[in-house]
Amino acid sequence: MDLKHSRSVKLNDGHFMPVLAFGTLASDDVPKSKAAEATKMAIDVGFRHIDAAYVYQNEKEVGQAIRDKIADGTVKREDIFYTTKLWATFLRPELVRPALERSLKNLQLDYVDLFIIHIPTAMKPGEDLMPMDASGKLIFDTVDLRETWEALEKCKDAGLTKSIGVSNFNHKLLEMILNKPGLKYKPVCNQVECHPYLNQSKLLEFCKSKDIVLVAYSALGSQRDANWMEKDSPILLEDRILNAIAKKHGRNPGQVALRYQVQRGVVVLAKSFNEKRIKENFQIFDFELTPEDMKAIDGLNRNFRFIKLLFFADHPNFPLRDEY
């Protein structure tokens, strides 16, 4: 296997996606400059897949970091796999390309490697990323996601993105796209919450059967952001079994949780702005979990979500009503 792709998975459109990605989402209290610093550190330690999004509001900084690392000779543009996401206020077909062009302008890049629908719950278009009514309820929009998908296909044809995919879709929403008359390109991936407490085995099996890569976010639990998760959520990295397996391999529980995903064919995001942890999170290619380890970690599944997406629960496309 050629070395360049030995840590990558081949997508259904022929492109390659590195199996370990650096996540750039930060909570509101983190200064934007930290995203640039952390992205540079991540590239320096070996990360080549950068996972970002318009709604994270830091693409200027992340783009600057990538361009700095290209300018100093650390990487070439084609070494980097950059993902951005189409936010829910831009799901109307006519808003899709302008949204991607806005990300590209912020990044000052000519193309992204992957453009995905961030969440299937369309919201009222406009500059407000979380449009709410007077009573504090989100204002939803009605959009046929198959038309949104056609607009993503056009972005791929125009060379603005190499690949297109989805995020936070359940199997029914995926089937709606896959069964669309005149489908030109299948989604290459579905990015969802996935970790030992929510191992998504049914959705993973479904995605594998359709040659769609599952990409795991919140793979280490989650940044305990009170806006998105409950304070009394369990702490994944304190799990007794994960820690026992980590100790056996001379690793930390985070490395075990990341390695677990890679070994089951899942692309995994690792999010940290701490230099020591960024380094540790990349060190998952020089050890292997045994079949017994994998089985023990599978046994931790309790279908527990850190990110319940309850803001969107009343939307007809709310993806978490179904089992998978």
Side-chain angles (χ1 to χ4, degrees):
M1 192 179 209
D2 88 62
L3 197 63
K4 180 168 162 51
H5 296 312
S6 63
R7 294 174 177 179
S8 298
V9 58
K10 191 174 187 180
L11 303 174
N12 63 38
D13 64 359
H15 292 294
F16 286 86
M17 174 193 275
V19 295
L20 178 61
F22 177 70
T24 61
L25 171 64
S27 48
D28 294 340
D29 54 349
V30 176
K32 299 267 185 262
S33 58
K34 284 296 273 188
E37 236 172 90
T39 302
K40 283 191 212 178
M41 277 180 224
I43 292 171
D44 282 336
V45 307
F47 281 92
R48 294 297 176 260
H49 180 171
I50 311 292
D51 181 82
Y54 179 76
V55 79
Y56 302 165
Q57 302 274 280
N58 59 11
E59 285 195 298
K60 280 188 173 137
E61 291 74 15
V62 173
Q64 184 65 56
I66 292 169
R67 286 181 293 111
D68 286 350
K69 294 317 300 175
I70 292 170
D72 74 10
T74 307
V75 286
K76 299 199 274 290
R77 170 65 187 94
E78 57 270 26
D79 298 331
I80 295 290
F81 187 100
Y82 184 90
T83 300
T84 192
K85 307 184 189 84
L86 178 72
W87 184 238
T89 50
F90 306 114
L91 295 190
R92 290 187 183 181
E94 68 275 14
L95 301 178
V96 171
R97 181 167 174 162
L100 176 53
E101 286 172 337
R102 191 188 292 196
S103 276
L104 289 169
K105 189 175 176 214
N106 285 338
L107 292 161
Q108 294 188 31
L109 295 176
D110 298 329
Y111 67 91
V112 297
D113 296 274
L114 177 62
F115 186 40
I116 62 183
I117 297 175
H118 202 148
I119 193 163
T121 49
M123 292 191 288
K124 177 183 169 233
E127 290 304 307
D128 193 351
L129 298 174
M130 294 289 270
M132 292 188 187
D133 64 18
S135 68
K137 277 190 67 135
L138 284 176
I139 307 169
F140 295 137
D141 195 20
T142 310
V143 176
D144 185 337
L145 291 171
R146 291 167 294 195
E147 293 179 0
T148 310
W149 186 253
E150 282 175 13
L152 269 85
E153 291 178 327
K154 287 180 180 147
C155 289
K156 177 174 162 72
D157 282 337
L160 300 177
T161 182
K162 303 266 188 201
S163 299
I164 50 177
V166 298
S167 177
N168 296 304
F169 273 45
N170 60 24
H171 82 284
K172 285 185 182 161
L173 289 166
L174 281 169
E175 292 213 291
M176 183 177 80
I177 301 289
L178 293 170
N179 297 333
K180 185 183 94 63
L183 181 73
K184 193 167 183 185
Y185 306 115
K186 288 202 307 193
V188 296
C189 69
N190 183 23
Q191 184 181 130
V192 294
E193 178 178 346
C194 183
H195 44 75
Y197 289 169
L198 177 73
N199 71 23
Q200 298 278 17
S201 56
K202 285 193 169 166
L203 187 59
L204 176 58
E205 198 180 329
F206 175 82
C207 287
K208 281 184 171 173
S209 76
K210 306 292 183 190
D211 199 13
I212 293 170
V213 171
L214 194 82
V215 180
Y217 71 72
S218 296
L220 301 172
S222 190
Q223 302 171 335
R224 308 181 76 74
D225 185 332
N227 291 324
W228 293 94
M229 69 184 280
E230 289 149 7
K231 287 191 291 294
D232 56 355
S233 298
I235 299 174
L236 176 72
L237 297 182
E238 290 178 5
D239 186 89
R240 193 174 51 81
I241 289 173
L242 269 190
N243 277 274
I245 292 170
K247 196 172 172 194
K248 183 178 86 174
H249 288 279
R251 298 288 166 157
N252 67 40
Q255 290 167 323
V256 171
L258 295 172
R259 180 74 205 178
Y260 166 70
Q261 299 292 9
V262 169
Q263 280 187 219
R264 61 205 286 259
V266 170
V267 169
V268 64
L269 310 187
K271 223 166 15 189
S272 174
F273 282 11
N274 169 301
E275 186 168 13
K276 177 174 176 282
R277 282 201 294 274
I278 291 171
K279 282 185 176 146
E280 288 170 351
N281 288 345
F282 194 74
Q283 290 161 354
I284 64 163
F285 296 108
D286 53 354
F287 78 104
E288 197 160 340
L289 298 171
T290 66
E292 296 73 34
D293 295 335
M294 293 295 286
K295 201 170 170 200
I297 300 170
D298 280 339
L300 298 177
N301 183 55
R302 45 174 108 163
N303 293 324
F304 176 83
R305 290 183 187 280
F306 289 102
I307 312 293
K308 296 186 169 60
L309 300 174
L310 294 176
F311 295 125
F312 307 106
D314 297 334
H315 196 288
N317 284 340
F318 180 62
L320 307 185
R321 264 186 222 106
D322 295 302
E323 185 196 355
Y324 72 99

